[in-house]
Amino acid sequence: MSISAVSALKTPMAVVQASNDSVLEPAPPSAARRIGEVILDVQNISLSFGGVKALSDISFEVREHEIRAIIGPNGAGKSSMLNCINGVYSPQEGSITFRGKTFKHMDSHAVAKMGVARTFQSLALFKGMSVLDNIMTGRNLHMKSNLLMQALRLGPAEREEIKNREFVERIIDFLEIQPYRKTPVGRMPYGLQKRVDLGRALAMEPTVLLLDEPMAGMNVEEKQDMCRFILDVNDEFGTTIVLIEHDMGVVMDISDRVVVLDYGKKIGDGTPEEVRSNPEVIKAYLGTSH
Ligand SMILES: Nc1ncnc2c1ncn2[C@@H]1O[C@H](COP(=O)(O)OP(=O)(O)OP(=O)(O)O)[C@@H](O)[C@H]1O
Ligand SMILES: [Mg+2]
């Protein structure tokens, strides 16, 4: 996709998608895109797997409401970085501060409860389950009733289920996948499966959304759609986004700031323009197939 193609998408989105009765409770448009204080602070993270140093002394911060990209050649440590942030990996060195709370390692469930959701590079969906049921799995965090109450459909559990289903239906509308709501995810085109994965993450009502290559393997049209949804989520709900992406046109166009990793080291950090003209970044990219 050309840079201008994505630029063209940027402005009208909030208008197109704005909905007065959305249960996703969008932030006021003016406030949503105002870049705020540091919400996520990654400090001196080092992570090794045996002899492989996946991350070496990585520090960067993410501000409220911004779209922060992480780029770098294959094996640079991008996914490992997200795995440290959301508690899948436990770094040997360093710490992460989220909304003022510092941790070296926290289990994934606790991180999710604090408001961090993510999508995965390899889809982590239940292929035999419908779109609706897959996205419902993202609501588990918000369920107060236990499994037995849900199975017996006891009053409060049933009311809770109805409320959560309504919420999920709104997400399905928002992502424009209504015709597929009852379709098993495994039967959908790959690009739409990625959209369902985004829906599952949105169902968690995250403050920070970590996206690991949300556009990988997509055709141009699917990429344009995904860009539009990412911009909408950021714009309408004020969700802070950390995005790993290989398509440089997309990264340069939709991100506010970019971190560049190479062989586990940070070699660049700044606005898309700053990063694009950084000699070390150019060298890393010219030396690879990217
Ligand atoms: N669970 C693991 N066990 C062993 N090594 C790992 C593990 N996860 C990552 N690595 C290694 O850490 C390094 C960084 O991998 P990572 O997946 O973070 O890179 P990446 O930048 O996401 O690459 P890609 O663009 O290909 O997705 C690689 O050398 C990889 O082989
Ligand atoms: Mg990766």
Side-chain angles (χ1 to χ4, degrees):
M1 183 178 355
S2 73
I3 291 177
S4 55
V6 185
S7 292
L9 289 169
K10 254 182 162 175
T11 332
M13 283 318 116
V15 181
V16 172
Q17 292 293 334
S19 161
N20 291 337
D21 57 354
S22 172
V23 290
L24 293 175
E25 289 173 18
S30 54
R33 272 297 292 154
R34 200 178 301 139
I35 308 260
E37 300 292 308
V38 171
I39 187 167
L40 179 67
D41 195 3
V42 172
Q43 299 131 4
N44 310 103
I45 290 287
S46 291
L47 172 77
S48 298
F49 298 100
V52 178
K53 193 125 202 197
L55 295 168
S56 301
D57 199 23
I58 304 293
S59 299
F60 65 94
E61 26 93 313
V62 180
R63 292 184 171 274
E64 224 177 345
H65 308 316
E66 83 174 326
I67 299 183
R68 188 76 150 117
I70 303 179
I71 65 168
N74 292 113
K78 306 179 295 296
S79 296
S80 298
M81 191 65 249
L82 288 200
N83 283 335
C84 289
I85 295 172
N86 90 318
V88 174
Y89 289 165
S90 182
Q92 284 85 11
E93 303 288 336
S95 62
I96 289 164
T97 302
F98 178 62
R99 286 172 136 179
K101 192 169 175 185
T102 301
F103 54 96
K104 183 169 179 181
H105 175 72
M106 200 177 250
D107 75 86
S108 292
H109 190 73
V111 176
K113 270 200 139 163
M114 285 169 73
V116 180
R118 78 170 289 184
T119 64
F120 289 87
Q121 191 167 350
S122 313
L123 285 166
L125 295 167
F126 298 100
K127 302 267 179 181
M129 274 165 50
S130 70
V131 166
L132 198 129
D133 287 339
N134 265 283
I135 299 179
M136 272 295 275
T137 62
R139 291 304 292 165
N140 285 345
L141 270 180
H142 295 270
M143 297 272 202
K144 292 194 184 70
S145 55
N146 61 36
L147 277 177
L148 182 63
M149 286 167 80
Q150 287 166 30
L152 297 175
R153 295 196 153 265
L154 294 175
E158 192 166 14
R159 277 195 296 278
E160 192 176 42
E161 164 104 4
I162 291 167
K163 225 173 110 209
N164 280 309
R165 279 193 179 265
E166 280 171 6
F167 189 94
V168 167
E169 295 283 1
R170 296 278 180 187
I171 290 173
I172 288 173
D173 288 350
F174 177 79
L175 294 174
E176 298 165 12
I177 44 179
Q178 301 93 326
Y180 297 93
R181 48 195 292 286
K182 293 273 176 64
T183 306
V185 162
R187 288 206 215 131
M188 295 170 75
Y190 179 74
L192 290 181
Q193 290 190 27
K194 289 286 239 189
R195 220 186 279 181
V196 176
D197 197 26
L198 175 63
R200 185 196 46 77
L202 288 178
M204 294 163 69
E205 296 180 73
T207 306
V208 175
L209 185 56
L210 312 174
L211 303 175
D212 196 346
E213 300 200 27
M215 287 163 246
M218 287 188 173
N219 62 35
V220 173
E221 205 178 315
E222 289 171 334
K223 276 190 188 186
Q224 280 179 329
D225 284 340
M226 185 52 89
C227 270
R228 180 161 64 88
F229 289 120
I230 292 171
L231 288 168
D232 281 355
V233 168
N234 176 250
D235 216 30
E236 290 183 39
F237 312 124
T239 311
T240 305
I241 291 172
V242 182
L243 165 77
I244 296 177
E245 183 51 51
H246 278 300
D247 187 321
M248 294 300 275
V250 169
V251 167
M252 292 299 153
D253 218 40
I254 74 171
S255 44
D256 295 299
R257 289 189 299 158
V258 186
V259 178
V260 192
L261 302 181
D262 190 27
Y263 292 111
K265 295 198 173 74
K266 186 171 99 169
I267 60 165
D269 191 349
T271 63
E273 291 72 27
E274 285 165 351
V275 159
R276 191 161 31 193
S277 55
N278 177 330
E280 225 181 320
V281 175
I282 295 169
K283 196 168 137 218
Y285 273 87
L286 288 178
T288 73
S289 57
H290 297 296

